Every structure is written in structure tokens, then in C-alpha cells.
Amino acid sequence: MSNRVRLKKAPIVEALIDLMLGPQHTVDLKNLKILADQLSGEFPKCDEIRIAQLKLPPSGSGIAPEVSHLPPVGYKLTSSNGSEVVQLKTDGFTFNQLPPYQDWDYFFRRFKHLWELYQKTAKATELRRVGLRYINNLQLPLPLKFLKDYLAAPPVVPAGMPQEISDYVMRVVVPLADISGGAIITQALGRGPHSGQLPLILDIDVFTERAIKTADKTLWDLLLKMREHKNNIFYKSITEKTVELYS
């Protein structure tokens, strides 16, 4: 576990806020297209969001699997430099911030602005799920002898076995009672190594699945609590040696 300090070179490769509307609420696709057109100055690239359906034949029948594409469920908008993505969906809204990531204040301000534009079209009164996710790509210097030098809870190989690790994925879900939700914490080796560094992914997904009203400050207060949990998990997952790499 490390002490909290503001990192000058945060290893964030993606931050996103994902909101799912209440089960009784669906936004008309035509209205979402109108909103997408209104945002085309900021987000010139617009792609349909579609869901593919795979139908598997009986085993041994010799019939090939059948793939069908359902009607669009929304639009994915991308900024001209590719750093921001907005997903306008019939059942929800997602804002993705890709590099360069500035800071929470800017990220949250952009999310709030775009969500309020979506909400003018959606007019949703309730959400059923809220997620805040940060994906970090830690570039650990090689040669690296022990992952525990950089991670507070690295994978453990049983004694008596080769201690080298060529790949791994580790995922845990922890409950967070104060937000009636939890956090999905994933560690995985990234692709590489590159330029004498070992990429390691630390993915933190804080979420709650319950009815949340949109008419008051409940959502904003909830997201601030989620951010606090995200930061707490991040700093408890790394060591002081990792902090030094990004300070």
C-alpha cells in the first residue's frame, strides 16, 4: 500500500462513466440521431451501436453457426482527435475519456455537460446502474525480479514451482456497502514488453445497481463517493516504488 500523492504522470489509459436508465425507460433512436447530429461539431465521427446475435446449431449437425445483427441501439460518437467517446444509447449513456487524461475536474465537467444534453432528450427520471471505471497501464521497468516490489497484492505461485510468470489475469469483486454496490478489480499483464518496460493493467470498476433518481444531487454525490473508492483501491493496490515511477 502506498501513500496518496498527486501523480504527475498518471498511468490512466481510459476513464469512463456508464449510466443505465431505469427498466421502464427507453429513448427513441430517432431522437438520439438528432442529438448526435447536434454534437457533430465536437464529435465528427458517428457509428451505429449494434448487437450481434449468435445462434448455435445442435452439436454434430454440420450446420454453421448463424450470426444476425439486431437493429441499432444507439450511436457512438468520437471526437476529432479520438480522445473522447460518447455513447448515446436507447437504454443508457456512456462517456469515455482516452489519452490525454487531464484530471478529474475536467473529466467530470465534460461528462456532466454531455449527460445533461442527453438527459434533455431522454428525460429519464431514474437510473438502474451507475459505473465509474478507470483502466491504468503501469509500465514497470525491466529487469523485474518481483512483482511485489510494485504491487501490494501480486499473484502468488506455490512454492516448489517455477516462480517466473509469462502471463496472468487476476480478478476480484469486493462489496462496498456505503454505495450499495461493489468494485471489480482486475490485474493483468499487458502486451509487451516494450522499450525495456513490462506493461501491467490495473483495471478498477466501481459500480452500483439500484434505483437512483436523476432529479436531485444524488447522482453527483454518488459519483464523488465512487471516485473516492476508486482512488482508495488504486493506492492500496500499488507500492511506494510504483508511486515514484509516476511522481
Side-chain angles (χ1 to χ4, degrees), residues 3-18:
N3 295 318
R4 289 197 190 188
V5 297
R6 185 178 178 85
L7 302 181
K8 295 179 181 178
K9 304 172 290 182
I12 300 164
V13 293
E14 184 173 3
L16 68 91
I17 296 174
D18 179 63

PDB file of all heavy atoms in Angstrom, residues 3-18:
ATOM      1  N   ASN A   3       1.226   5.717   0.031  1.00  0.00           N
ATOM      2  CA  ASN A   3       0.585   6.949   0.462  1.00  0.00           C
ATOM      3  C   ASN A   3       0.011   7.672  -0.750  1.00  0.00           C
ATOM      4  O   ASN A   3       0.520   7.577  -1.856  1.00  0.00           O
ATOM      5  CB  ASN A   3       1.609   7.853   1.168  1.00  0.00           C
ATOM      6  CG  ASN A   3       2.117   7.228   2.449  1.00  0.00           C
ATOM      7  OD1 ASN A   3       1.343   6.656   3.216  1.00  0.00           O
ATOM      8  ND2 ASN A   3       3.416   7.320   2.677  1.00  0.00           N
ATOM      9  N   ARG A   4      -1.059   8.420  -0.502  1.00  0.00           N
ATOM     10  CA  ARG A   4      -1.693   9.152  -1.599  1.00  0.00           C
ATOM     11  C   ARG A   4      -0.933  10.434  -1.901  1.00  0.00           C
ATOM     12  O   ARG A   4      -0.769  11.277  -1.037  1.00  0.00           O
ATOM     13  CB  ARG A   4      -3.141   9.504  -1.241  1.00  0.00           C
ATOM     14  CG  ARG A   4      -4.069   8.321  -1.216  1.00  0.00           C
ATOM     15  CD  ARG A   4      -5.494   8.817  -1.281  1.00  0.00           C
ATOM     16  NE  ARG A   4      -6.440   7.762  -1.036  1.00  0.00           N
ATOM     17  CZ  ARG A   4      -7.749   7.901  -1.191  1.00  0.00           C
ATOM     18  NH1 ARG A   4      -8.236   9.064  -1.582  1.00  0.00           N
ATOM     19  NH2 ARG A   4      -8.562   6.905  -0.951  1.00  0.00           N
ATOM     20  N   VAL A   5      -0.479  10.543  -3.112  1.00  0.00           N
ATOM     21  CA  VAL A   5       0.111  11.778  -3.606  1.00  0.00           C
ATOM     22  C   VAL A   5      -0.428  11.998  -5.017  1.00  0.00           C
ATOM     23  O   VAL A   5      -0.795  11.048  -5.699  1.00  0.00           O
ATOM     24  CB  VAL A   5       1.655  11.724  -3.630  1.00  0.00           C
ATOM     25  CG1 VAL A   5       2.214  11.560  -2.235  1.00  0.00           C
ATOM     26  CG2 VAL A   5       2.141  10.593  -4.532  1.00  0.00           C
ATOM     27  N   ARG A   6      -0.492  13.241  -5.427  1.00  0.00           N
ATOM     28  CA  ARG A   6      -0.963  13.518  -6.781  1.00  0.00           C
ATOM     29  C   ARG A   6       0.119  13.122  -7.777  1.00  0.00           C
ATOM     30  O   ARG A   6       1.243  13.618  -7.716  1.00  0.00           O
ATOM     31  CB  ARG A   6      -1.312  14.997  -6.930  1.00  0.00           C
ATOM     32  CG  ARG A   6      -1.928  15.337  -8.285  1.00  0.00           C
ATOM     33  CD  ARG A   6      -2.292  16.807  -8.349  1.00  0.00           C
ATOM     34  NE  ARG A   6      -2.834  17.153  -9.652  1.00  0.00           N
ATOM     35  CZ  ARG A   6      -4.098  17.024 -10.017  1.00  0.00           C
ATOM     36  NH1 ARG A   6      -4.970  16.565  -9.131  1.00  0.00           N
ATOM     37  NH2 ARG A   6      -4.516  17.367 -11.213  1.00  0.00           N
ATOM     38  N   LEU A   7      -0.215  12.228  -8.683  1.00  0.00           N
ATOM     39  CA  LEU A   7       0.755  11.739  -9.649  1.00  0.00           C
ATOM     40  C   LEU A   7       0.863  12.711 -10.817  1.00  0.00           C
ATOM     41  O   LEU A   7      -0.137  13.113 -11.397  1.00  0.00           O
ATOM     42  CB  LEU A   7       0.348  10.359 -10.159  1.00  0.00           C
ATOM     43  CG  LEU A   7       0.183   9.257  -9.107  1.00  0.00           C
ATOM     44  CD1 LEU A   7      -0.190   7.948  -9.773  1.00  0.00           C
ATOM     45  CD2 LEU A   7       1.441   9.098  -8.276  1.00  0.00           C
ATOM     46  N   LYS A   8       2.096  13.077 -11.134  1.00  0.00           N
ATOM     47  CA  LYS A   8       2.310  13.992 -12.255  1.00  0.00           C
ATOM     48  C   LYS A   8       2.092  13.297 -13.599  1.00  0.00           C
ATOM     49  O   LYS A   8       1.711  13.921 -14.572  1.00  0.00           O
ATOM     50  CB  LYS A   8       3.733  14.564 -12.193  1.00  0.00           C
ATOM     51  CG  LYS A   8       4.000  15.442 -10.977  1.00  0.00           C
ATOM     52  CD  LYS A   8       5.439  15.933 -10.986  1.00  0.00           C
ATOM     53  CE  LYS A   8       5.729  16.790  -9.762  1.00  0.00           C
ATOM     54  NZ  LYS A   8       7.148  17.234  -9.721  1.00  0.00           N
ATOM     55  N   LYS A   9       2.350  11.991 -13.626  1.00  0.00           N
ATOM     56  CA  LYS A   9       2.218  11.217 -14.860  1.00  0.00           C
ATOM     57  C   LYS A   9       1.297  10.023 -14.595  1.00  0.00           C
ATOM     58  O   LYS A   9       1.752   8.879 -14.586  1.00  0.00           O
ATOM     59  CB  LYS A   9       3.585  10.749 -15.352  1.00  0.00           C
ATOM     60  CG  LYS A   9       4.599  11.869 -15.580  1.00  0.00           C
ATOM     61  CD  LYS A   9       5.972  11.317 -15.883  1.00  0.00           C
ATOM     62  CE  LYS A   9       6.584  10.654 -14.650  1.00  0.00           C
ATOM     63  NZ  LYS A   9       7.950  10.131 -14.898  1.00  0.00           N
ATOM     64  N   ALA A  10       0.041  10.299 -14.373  1.00  0.00           N
ATOM     65  CA  ALA A  10      -0.899   9.224 -14.053  1.00  0.00           C
ATOM     66  C   ALA A  10      -0.952   8.203 -15.186  1.00  0.00           C
ATOM     67  O   ALA A  10      -0.978   8.570 -16.363  1.00  0.00           O
ATOM     68  CB  ALA A  10      -2.281   9.802 -13.801  1.00  0.00           C
ATOM     69  N   PRO A  11      -0.960   6.895 -14.856  1.00  0.00           N
ATOM     70  CA  PRO A  11      -0.925   5.852 -15.898  1.00  0.00           C
ATOM     71  C   PRO A  11      -2.297   5.524 -16.479  1.00  0.00           C
ATOM     72  O   PRO A  11      -2.512   4.426 -16.990  1.00  0.00           O
ATOM     73  CB  PRO A  11      -0.353   4.655 -15.131  1.00  0.00           C
ATOM     74  CG  PRO A  11      -0.855   4.849 -13.731  1.00  0.00           C
ATOM     75  CD  PRO A  11      -0.853   6.336 -13.499  1.00  0.00           C
ATOM     76  N   ILE A  12      -3.229   6.461 -16.428  1.00  0.00           N
ATOM     77  CA  ILE A  12      -4.607   6.219 -16.886  1.00  0.00           C
ATOM     78  C   ILE A  12      -4.651   6.163 -18.407  1.00  0.00           C
ATOM     79  O   ILE A  12      -4.217   7.095 -19.088  1.00  0.00           O
ATOM     80  CB  ILE A  12      -5.546   7.327 -16.371  1.00  0.00           C
ATOM     81  CG1 ILE A  12      -5.547   7.360 -14.836  1.00  0.00           C
ATOM     82  CG2 ILE A  12      -6.962   7.140 -16.908  1.00  0.00           C
ATOM     83  CD1 ILE A  12      -6.132   8.629 -14.256  1.00  0.00           C
ATOM     84  N   VAL A  13      -5.179   5.078 -18.951  1.00  0.00           N
ATOM     85  CA  VAL A  13      -5.352   4.966 -20.403  1.00  0.00           C
ATOM     86  C   VAL A  13      -6.822   5.083 -20.804  1.00  0.00           C
ATOM     87  O   VAL A  13      -7.122   5.305 -21.984  1.00  0.00           O
ATOM     88  CB  VAL A  13      -4.759   3.656 -20.956  1.00  0.00           C
ATOM     89  CG1 VAL A  13      -3.245   3.670 -20.817  1.00  0.00           C
ATOM     90  CG2 VAL A  13      -5.352   2.435 -20.269  1.00  0.00           C
ATOM     91  N   GLU A  14      -7.724   4.940 -19.836  1.00  0.00           N
ATOM     92  CA  GLU A  14      -9.144   5.170 -20.118  1.00  0.00           C
ATOM     93  C   GLU A  14      -9.892   5.380 -18.812  1.00  0.00           C
ATOM     94  O   GLU A  14      -9.654   4.681 -17.829  1.00  0.00           O
ATOM     95  CB  GLU A  14      -9.771   4.000 -20.884  1.00  0.00           C
ATOM     96  CG  GLU A  14     -11.212   4.247 -21.265  1.00  0.00           C
ATOM     97  CD  GLU A  14     -11.808   3.170 -22.163  1.00  0.00           C
ATOM     98  OE1 GLU A  14     -11.097   2.170 -22.455  1.00  0.00           O
ATOM     99  OE2 GLU A  14     -12.973   3.322 -22.568  1.00  0.00           O
ATOM    100  N   ALA A  15     -10.788   6.380 -18.821  1.00  0.00           N
ATOM    101  CA  ALA A  15     -11.712   6.606 -17.712  1.00  0.00           C
ATOM    102  C   ALA A  15     -13.106   6.683 -18.311  1.00  0.00           C
ATOM    103  O   ALA A  15     -13.295   7.262 -19.392  1.00  0.00           O
ATOM    104  CB  ALA A  15     -11.370   7.897 -16.972  1.00  0.00           C
ATOM    105  N   LEU A  16     -14.083   6.109 -17.637  1.00  0.00           N
ATOM    106  CA  LEU A  16     -15.428   6.166 -18.184  1.00  0.00           C
ATOM    107  C   LEU A  16     -16.467   6.178 -17.071  1.00  0.00           C
ATOM    108  O   LEU A  16     -16.253   5.648 -15.987  1.00  0.00           O
ATOM    109  CB  LEU A  16     -15.683   5.015 -19.151  1.00  0.00           C
ATOM    110  CG  LEU A  16     -15.745   3.581 -18.612  1.00  0.00           C
ATOM    111  CD1 LEU A  16     -17.171   3.195 -18.224  1.00  0.00           C
ATOM    112  CD2 LEU A  16     -15.203   2.600 -19.632  1.00  0.00           C
ATOM    113  N   ILE A  17     -17.585   6.821 -17.387  1.00  0.00           N
ATOM    114  CA  ILE A  17     -18.771   6.793 -16.543  1.00  0.00           C
ATOM    115  C   ILE A  17     -19.893   6.210 -17.375  1.00  0.00           C
ATOM    116  O   ILE A  17     -20.158   6.672 -18.495  1.00  0.00           O
ATOM    117  CB  ILE A  17     -19.141   8.196 -16.029  1.00  0.00           C
ATOM    118  CG1 ILE A  17     -18.033   8.745 -15.130  1.00  0.00           C
ATOM    119  CG2 ILE A  17     -20.463   8.149 -15.256  1.00  0.00           C
ATOM    120  CD1 ILE A  17     -18.254  10.184 -14.684  1.00  0.00           C
ATOM    121  N   ASP A  18     -20.558   5.205 -16.828  1.00  0.00           N
ATOM    122  CA  ASP A  18     -21.607   4.497 -17.552  1.00  0.00           C
ATOM    123  C   ASP A  18     -22.900   4.544 -16.744  1.00  0.00           C
ATOM    124  O   ASP A  18     -22.921   4.166 -15.565  1.00  0.00           O
ATOM    125  CB  ASP A  18     -21.186   3.044 -17.795  1.00  0.00           C
ATOM    126  CG  ASP A  18     -22.260   2.246 -18.518  1.00  0.00           C
ATOM    127  OD1 ASP A  18     -22.566   2.594 -19.666  1.00  0.00           O
ATOM    128  OD2 ASP A  18     -22.792   1.287 -17.922  1.00  0.00           O
TER     129      ASP A  18
END
